[in-house]
Amino acid sequence: MAPRKPPTYAEVSYEVDHEIETAIAPFAPPEQAPAWGPDARLSVAGKPLPRVDGYLRTTGRAKYTYDLNLPGTAVGAVLMSPYPRARGVRVNPAAARKVPGVLDVMTGADAENGNKFGTRGAKLFTDAPNFVGEYLAAVVAESPEAAREGVAALAQSLEADEVLPHVVDVADALKPDAPKLDENGNARTGDPEGRGDVAKGFAEAEVEVGAEVSTPVETHACLETHGSVARWEGDALTVHDSTQAVFGVRSGLAATLGIPENKVRVIQSFMGGGFGSKLGLDRYTVIAALFAKRLGRPVKIFLTRRQDLLNTGHRPSSRQRLRAGARKDGTLTALELVSTGPPGSGCGRPISSLYACPNVRVVHTNVQINSGPPRPQRAPGDVQGATGLEVLMDRLAEKLGLDPLALRLKNFAEKDPSSGRPYSTNPLRECYAKGAEQFGWEALRRKRPGSDPGPLKRGVGMGAQIWPGGGAPNWKADCVVNADGTAEVRTGTQDIGTGTKTILCQVAAEELGLPIGKVSITLGDTDAPFGGSSGGSVVTPSSTPAVHEAAHDAKEKLLALAAPILGKEAGDLEASQGRIRAKGETSGGIPFAEVVRKANAGPVVGSGTRILHDRFREFAIYAFGAQFVEVEVDVETGVVRVLRVVAAHDCGRPVNPMLAASQVEGGVIQAICFALYSERILDRRLGDFVNANLHDYRLALLPDVPEIATIFCGAPDAMVSGVGAKGIGEPAIIPTAGAIVNAVHHATGVWCTELPLTPDRVLAALGVA
């Protein structure tokens, strides 16, 4: 049985070097900048400062890509397939050209780049769609209204040589009479992965339990839909894109158009949500660029809400059959997960890596159906897998008569179960202890499940998580100290709403010895030094060491310039509050601006790169956490309300605790959507997404948001970098849904394990009970 390999982002549509980069981490940071140890006295980093762009965001002055309207901009729109499966699909471009205001039409037959998309043989437009929502053609017009009318005219002209049978449900696709979507069949089961001898482990078990858990297809539902603005200046292309990966878009776009990368610039200033769906090049960007070249003017294309939900990916569903074997004292002897779902639905990392168990087996079957492709969605695979695992652990605890927390502590992993490597840090015990204490876990768990009088019943549950925390190598940054003593950080990564601009300014200000108000930042631009994709919680551990290094390099250059001015050796000087003075002095010295001016050196530029140490393979670097949830269930209506969440998480050093807590709160709220509300519904007969809008696709509203308390545990992780910070975006969403299912069981005494836990499903579970 092969060792369990966690699912990579590449398995869910995009090629993102996430798993390779986050599964490895440095033994000791090979940095020039002195590390900030756990007892470092910091004045800016580690403080809950407001966002540096908060004023722009809260006043509406922040310009998102959707807000950008360059002079002379034409507006594009795309026609997507209404067929779930068809061949020989075509449109009549003349139908759209008759519409007043329409400037041009594009199909696969006349796309200037040969109808190419990406480097794997994919087409920009298809004539053989395999799901409702594939690109068929595009229109560009003088106005959004004309573009929409042009697309409507194309839709009226649609013809197909053959409309084929389709299947959009995984269970239906496994039936013998299902339409055959692949010559090798609709299902493909991978080789078993894991460790040890699972059969032996179950034979040794004194207690065995099973669980079946189903999770839904969840869409990203970004408030800003996907879109781009493209313009050419000669042979140089500039694209403003709502993206999580400006460098990824640049390389993909250059390859697709057959032009050098140095002729493509991609910019993202503000973005209204991505959650993994905007991690690479999309077709609308290519179409906008081709239309802009044709017309000699800027072109803007944004998908409609329905198109955004149809075409830009989703978290795939999963159907999990789980088993656990244990001794009577709770020691795990075997764990098994057999899962089925559409492509990209593997979810085996949590069961393989969270608990100490010698025998683990994971088997996954991918099932081909006629629906849109999956894409990474905040902690891809782990949200589904942790939900199943944490339900299984609670069922085992129930059978053993153990407190669920005691069972988890019994099986705490002292080292990485998958690789055998020691952890750089593992404060999960601390997360358990502090979270349980603040929540009041011990007292609340004493209540017998379902024992509350009346229809409103309360219960509590918990869940735990693990997520790679080491970040990625080779992220770069510059730090420029200007002649007036201000500083600017420049790096190519993106702020996708998480506060990256703020924490990088804090790191630079701390290292330089400047007030944060004198530090500005430019990011989200391929003209800046390389920064990777904003996904997988890699941004903080990857970008903060690069900025730390760049600021240190700039400071060392300032000290060297100041030394002859002050008549001192550079090693005897320090920077503080924008001044350079002799070490130990609390006043005097000269301002940065005076140093730059007297040295006649122009702006002082420092550079930094995040480099992984040769010994990174000796350690496993992860972020851990545990969440405790209280729910209320109305057993007459089936409505579940989450009342309270205590989230105890490890993210190394929180560079800005307020923004880190905001990430935790956002993750918890998204997880509540996953557990209780959100579900893509496809019409089996038509193959169409019937709730593709934000009215019928249910998201949490303000009254649904519970009280959320965040606790940060652990210490700065020196194995990650001198800053010691890990990511928190993914970890926050992973354990919540399983904790909610467990809490509903504690409240009602029944197991409802088909998510989302909508009232009809809860009532059905109560009726069965």
Side-chain angles (χ1 to χ4, degrees):
M1 187 163 55
R4 169 64 193 162
K5 296 178 181 178
T8 66
Y9 274 14
E11 290 176 341
V12 271
S13 177
Y14 281 130
E15 290 183 87
V16 177
D17 295 332
H18 165 75
E19 204 57 54
I20 293 172
E21 295 169 350
T22 58
I24 59 180
F27 168 71
E31 302 163 354
Q32 299 302 312
W36 300 338
D39 299 322
R41 299 179 65 181
L42 306 179
S43 59
V44 183
K47 307 302 179 185
L49 303 181
R51 292 175 184 259
V52 296
D53 57 358
Y55 176 77
L56 296 176
R57 291 178 181 274
T58 55
T59 59
R61 287 173 170 81
K63 295 299 180 185
Y64 293 76
T65 307
Y66 188 89
D67 298 323
L68 188 63
N69 293 296
L70 301 174
T73 297
V75 180
V78 299
L79 173 66
M80 291 184 175
S81 172
Y83 307 114
R85 190 170 174 232
R87 299 295 179 264
V89 177
R90 57 196 176 278
V91 298
N92 180 4
R97 290 194 172 100
K98 294 177 183 178
V99 175
V102 169
L103 300 171
D104 210 344
V105 178
M106 187 182 300
T107 67
D110 61 7
E112 285 83 350
N113 72 330
N115 200 32
K116 176 184 175 183
F117 178 73
T119 59
R120 295 184 172 184
K123 294 181 178 180
L124 186 59
F125 301 104
T126 185
D127 62 356
N130 284 309
F131 65 92
V132 173
E134 287 213 66
Y135 282 65
L136 299 179
V139 167
V140 65
E142 293 286 1
S143 68
E145 295 79 13
R148 286 196 294 268
E149 290 181 23
V151 167
L154 284 182
Q156 291 293 320
S157 75
L158 263 179
E159 294 180 330
D161 291 340
E162 188 177 14
V163 177
L164 300 171
H166 66 271
V167 59
V168 296
D169 180 81
V170 170
D172 290 345
L174 293 173
K175 293 177 180 177
D177 59 348
K180 194 173 183 181
L181 305 183
D182 186 281
E183 62 181 15
N184 296 316
N186 294 343
R188 187 180 67 185
T189 300
D191 294 333
E193 297 178 337
R195 60 181 176 270
D197 185 334
V198 170
K200 180 174 177 287
F202 280 112
E204 294 173 349
E206 296 171 306
V207 175
E208 183 179 327
V209 296
E212 291 194 10
V213 176
S214 297
T215 64
V217 171
E218 181 187 28
T219 71
H220 301 78
C222 308
L223 288 183
E224 182 185 35
T225 62
H226 290 59
S228 302
V229 179
R231 64 183 172 91
W232 292 82
E233 293 177 300
D235 61 351
L237 171 64
T238 299
V239 171
H240 297 265
D241 199 21
S242 181
T243 181
Q244 297 172 244
V246 292
F247 281 93
V249 171
R250 184 182 74 169
S251 60
L253 191 55
T256 297
L257 298 180
I259 60 178
E261 287 192 23
N262 64 1
K263 295 295 185 180
V264 181
R265 181 184 182 189
V266 180
I267 302 169
Q268 183 264 79
S269 299
F270 292 90
M271 191 183 73
F275 313 114
S277 68
K278 298 177 179 178
L279 278 169
L281 179 67
D282 255 308
R283 285 173 171 81
Y284 51 79
T285 309
V286 179
I287 296 166
L290 291 174
F291 269 143
K293 189 72 169 178
R294 279 189 190 181
L295 300 179
R297 57 193 284 193
V299 170
K300 177 179 182 177
I301 298 180
F302 265 80
L303 301 184
T304 66
R305 174 61 61 193
R306 173 174 163 77
Q307 289 175 334
D308 203 66
L309 293 172
L310 279 174
N311 183 268
T312 61
H314 54 261
R315 186 192 303 280
S317 62
S318 73
R319 183 166 293 276
Q320 304 171 46
R321 289 187 290 112
L322 305 108
R323 284 198 302 159
R327 304 191 189 281
K328 289 181 180 178
D329 66 354
T331 302
L332 289 169
T333 60
L335 289 169
E336 183 179 62
L337 166 64
V338 179
S339 61
T340 304
S345 59
C347 53
R349 175 169 31 211
I351 201 168
S352 300
S353 58
L354 184 53
Y355 298 113
C357 180
N359 306 296
V360 179
R361 181 175 181 265
V362 176
V363 180
H364 179 68
T365 298
N366 279 320
V367 182
Q368 200 71 36
I369 58 174
N370 296 112
S371 74
R375 286 190 185 175
Q377 184 162 353
R378 199 171 188 172
D382 281 41
V383 172
Q384 305 95 298
T387 301
L389 173 63
E390 294 303 274
V391 169
L392 180 69
M393 291 294 284
D394 263 43
R395 297 196 78 146
L396 178 60
E398 183 181 44
K399 190 161 185 177
L400 290 167
L402 292 176
D403 182 294
L405 177 54
L407 177 64
R408 288 164 172 83
L409 285 167
K410 181 71 176 177
N411 294 283
F412 176 83
E414 299 289 350
K415 59 183 179 180
D416 179 20
S418 297
S419 68
R421 292 178 297 175
Y423 293 116
S424 57
T425 64
N426 183 354
L428 185 54
R429 282 197 184 102
E430 182 186 348
C431 295
Y432 286 146
K434 290 184 175 179
E437 181 181 10
Q438 180 160 330
F439 186 77
W441 172 262
E442 186 177 354
L444 291 169
R445 277 298 302 189
R446 292 194 189 111
K447 187 185 72 173
R448 184 169 54 84
S451 61
D452 283 344
L456 297 180
K457 300 185 183 297
R458 291 193 176 190
V460 296
M462 68 165 297
Q465 62 81 205
I466 182 172
W467 181 261
N474 299 322
W475 289 40
K476 304 179 188 302
D478 286 345
C479 183
V480 181
V481 179
N482 299 307
D484 63 356
T486 61
E488 180 188 4
V489 175
R490 301 183 71 249
T491 183
T493 191
Q494 305 73 208
D495 188 331
I496 58 175
T498 56
T500 301
K501 292 176 183 175
T502 304
I503 67 167
L504 295 185
C505 284
Q506 288 181 260
V507 170
E510 184 68 53
E511 184 61 26
L512 284 170
L514 270 178
I516 193 170
K518 289 194 172 184
V519 180
S520 63
I521 188 165
T522 298
L523 47 63
D525 189 336
T526 55
D527 274 4
F530 173 77
S533 303
S534 297
S537 297
V538 302
V539 174
T540 295
S542 308
S543 61
T544 54
V547 171
H548 187 209
E549 283 291 304
H552 179 75
D553 187 33
K555 181 175 72 174
E556 291 295 297
K557 290 176 179 177
L558 278 174
L559 297 177
L561 292 172
I565 299 172
L566 293 172
K568 303 277 187 181
E569 295 293 324
D572 296 328
L573 301 175
E574 65 181 4
S576 176
Q577 292 300 306
R579 303 178 72 87
I580 294 177
R581 57 174 69 101
K583 289 180 179 178
E585 293 182 357
T586 57
S587 61
I590 56 175
F592 286 5
E594 188 175 340
V595 172
V596 177
R597 186 175 65 254
K598 285 185 174 180
N600 196 27
V604 176
V605 181
S607 297
T609 300
R610 198 286 172 101
I611 301 171
L612 296 178
H613 195 280
D614 289 342
R615 296 182 63 191
F616 58 73
R617 288 187 176 86
E618 296 181 19
F619 289 86
I621 299 186
Y622 288 94
F624 296 89
Q627 293 183 10
F628 300 82
V629 172
E630 183 175 16
V631 304
E632 182 180 78
V633 183
D634 188 328
V635 297
E636 292 181 346
T637 65
V639 172
V640 179
R641 292 177 57 226
V642 179
L643 304 177
R644 189 166 61 100
V645 178
V646 172
H649 283 275
D650 151 47
C651 61
R653 169 180 277 117
V655 180
N656 186 311
M658 180 173 66
L659 297 183
S662 177
Q663 281 292 288
V664 173
E665 291 163 9
V668 167
I669 293 167
Q670 276 194 304
I672 290 171
C673 295
F674 176 77
L676 300 182
Y677 308 127
S678 301
E679 181 178 21
R680 183 190 71 179
I681 300 173
L682 297 182
D683 184 295
R684 290 181 175 181
R685 183 175 62 87
L686 300 176
D688 202 356
F689 190 162
V690 299
N691 58 331
N693 58 71
L694 295 187
H695 177 272
D696 299 316
Y697 183 83
R698 177 82 155 86
L699 297 171
L701 305 176
L702 193 58
D704 304 314
V705 176
E707 174 190 334
I708 304 171
T710 301
I711 305 167
F712 291 114
C713 302
D717 194 330
M719 303 299 176
V720 176
S721 72
V723 176
K726 305 175 189 176
I728 190 62
E730 257 75 10
I733 195 176
I734 295 171
T736 322
I740 290 171
V741 174
N742 293 336
V744 169
H745 169 68
H746 187 236
T748 64
V750 302
W751 286 104
C752 186
T753 57
E754 184 177 358
L755 276 62
L757 304 185
T758 51
D760 58 313
R761 288 175 177 144
V762 174
L763 290 175
L766 289 166
V768 169

